[in-house]
Amino acid sequence: MSKLILAVESSCDETACAVSRDGREILADVVYSQAEMHALYGGVVPEIASRKHIEKVSLVAEQACRQAGIVPAQLDAVAATCAPGLIGALLVGANFAKGAALALDVPFVPVHHIRGHVAANYVAFPELKPPMTALVASGGHTVILDISDYTEMEVLATTRDDAAGEAFDKIARMLGLPYPGGASLDRLSKTGDPKRYPLPHAGIHDSLDFSFSGLKTAAVNLIHNAQQKGAEISREDLAAAVSVTVAETVVPRVIRAAKERGRRRVCAAGGVAANSTLRGMLERECEKAGLELYLPPLSLCGDNGSMIACQAYFELMAGHTAGADQNCFATMPASQHVSQFDYAL
Ligand code: KG4
Ligand code: ZN
């Protein structure tokens, strides 16, 4: 029996709703972005994000149903991102979805945001199936996952401090680029010389874990020192150096993770997976290592409702539904099932 799911994604500054059919087919994807408003403050203001979600969520959900050509009574489940993310923002989407599920008398499916990012690949590549190795790199997370099944995964690496996207955004801001600066920095990097400013490649002994705070500080110090001396820093060259350093830090770990677990498929996701240098290096190195690489189109890399609507189908099939008492969590490893998460852990 075909399953229609409405999903709400409100973990950060985008109110997004999508309707999926049987996980792989997206019938509607509607997003209201608050990015312009937060750009005024140079970053996301959590209080403003929550309030905007309240104003927009029902409208965006209605539009998604209309775009899908369905009425709410046809839905088989309602889903929402419940972790990780800005807690106030998550609660708005989750409570809307729980209310809708209750009113329609259908299951409520809580979804893990990082699992959602991985699922962007199932939307983009209908033939793709686990097992595989996944890299999720975004503004809030940098993780490598060993995915044994759609809802079963192990976290092989995480960041010990900043996420890759955070480093991109902070450096972009220092270079005078508007928030979020990752994509603009990527554009600048294309004409830069990556060798002009050598930057540190931090690693953690005996671990696949990441650390990006040293890279961020090194780049910020370079900019400050140049400013103090009244010297010109080449924005293009620094952007190229930062992009190459992030890619050289991330890619070998992803390949190592895939080899250690004997996986043949690798996928990437998250806003930073849109980075051209990272994509290029992943393509070259996966080919060398004989690994099949899956890179979603840029439109599915950043936060979107489709990825949540897709993962919700697999969670529903696995019986991972929840009642009206389902809570939201600011942090949670992707290996945890949201519906079974014990807050006391
Ligand atoms: O996945 P996402 O939309 O939201 C989170 O879950 O955090 O990721 C947003 C992050 C931001 O830090 C943004 O600057 C970064 O992804 N980003 C990029 C690029 N496009 C977006 N970073 C590097 N290169 C890009 N092309
Ligand atoms: Zn995200």
Side-chain angles (χ1 to χ4, degrees):
M1 249 260 292
S2 154
K3 295 276 181 216
L4 283 174
I5 303 178
L6 168 72
V8 184
E9 154 59 38
S10 69
S11 66
C12 193
D13 61 348
E14 253 149 26
T15 320
C17 289
V19 177
S20 66
R21 177 156 50 207
D22 294 337
R24 303 277 179 165
E25 195 188 345
I26 300 301
L27 304 185
D29 184 325
V30 180
V31 55
Y32 168 78
S33 173
Q34 312 172 358
E36 254 177 48
M37 194 173 338
H38 297 288
L40 297 174
Y41 303 92
V44 177
V45 184
E47 174 83 16
I48 296 178
S50 310
R51 290 172 184 274
K52 278 287 152 197
H53 287 313
I54 289 177
E55 287 173 19
K56 299 291 175 189
V57 67
S58 54
L59 191 72
V60 174
E62 269 173 41
Q63 278 180 0
C65 287
R66 211 173 310 133
Q67 196 180 85
I70 60 157
V71 290
Q74 287 174 267
L75 290 167
D76 295 290
V78 184
T81 308
C82 286
L86 298 173
I87 195 67
L90 287 169
L91 285 168
V92 175
N95 278 323
F96 173 83
K98 282 195 283 184
L102 210 60
L104 296 167
D105 196 21
V106 295
F108 168 64
V109 186
V111 178
H112 194 291
H113 183 77
I114 293 179
R115 291 188 183 192
H117 271 301
V118 173
N121 284 281
Y122 303 137
V123 177
F125 307 104
E127 77 289 2
L128 177 64
K129 289 187 176 90
M132 60 194 185
T133 303
L135 164 72
V136 179
S138 70
H141 318 278
T142 311
V143 293
I144 300 173
L145 300 168
D146 182 62
I147 316 258
S148 50
D149 208 342
Y150 294 102
T151 64
E152 298 301 324
M153 57 202 74
E154 193 182 329
V155 181
L156 298 183
T158 185
T159 179
R160 299 280 178 105
D161 40 57
D162 299 335
E166 247 173 297
F168 273 120
D169 291 342
K170 177 75 197 256
I171 296 164
R173 188 176 174 174
M174 292 297 298
L175 291 174
L177 302 169
Y179 179 86
S184 325
L185 194 138
D186 189 5
R187 271 192 296 279
L188 274 182
S189 74
K190 289 178 185 166
T191 51
D193 170 10
K195 296 217 169 70
R196 176 149 170 210
Y197 303 115
L199 293 166
H201 295 61
I204 286 133
H205 185 62
D206 268 355
S207 160
L208 288 173
D209 280 354
F210 306 100
S211 164
F212 292 107
S213 73
L215 165 67
K216 185 179 79 182
T217 310
V220 167
N221 285 345
L222 242 152
I223 298 167
H224 276 154
N225 286 342
Q227 280 167 349
Q228 277 161 7
K229 289 184 200 144
E232 275 284 313
I233 197 134
S234 159
R235 301 201 311 170
E236 290 79 4
D237 291 348
L238 186 57
V242 171
S243 297
V244 165
T245 305
V246 169
E248 284 174 350
T249 306
V250 170
V251 177
R253 286 173 169 76
V254 175
I255 307 280
R256 207 177 111 196
K259 283 189 173 162
E260 279 180 12
R261 293 305 173 104
R263 302 303 186 201
R264 286 180 33 244
R265 287 181 284 268
V266 168
C267 69
V272 175
N275 185 267
S276 56
T277 309
L278 179 63
R279 291 171 86 91
M281 202 176 289
L282 274 171
E283 273 164 4
R284 286 191 300 279
E285 296 305 317
C286 282
E287 197 182 337
K288 259 195 235 162
L291 296 162
E292 262 172 54
L293 175 66
Y294 294 84
L295 289 174
L298 303 197
S299 58
L300 284 169
C301 285
D303 289 347
N304 63 84
S306 297
M307 67 190 204
I308 304 299
C310 173
Q311 183 60 24
Y313 170 77
F314 297 110
E315 300 292 350
L316 178 68
M317 291 297 105
H320 298 158
T321 59
D325 60 347
Q326 172 69 50
N327 213 334
C328 292
F329 306 94
T331 59
M332 185 191 294
S335 50
Q336 291 282 337
H337 300 316
V338 182
S339 58
Q340 294 161 20
F341 188 60
D342 181 353
Y343 191 58
L345 271 179

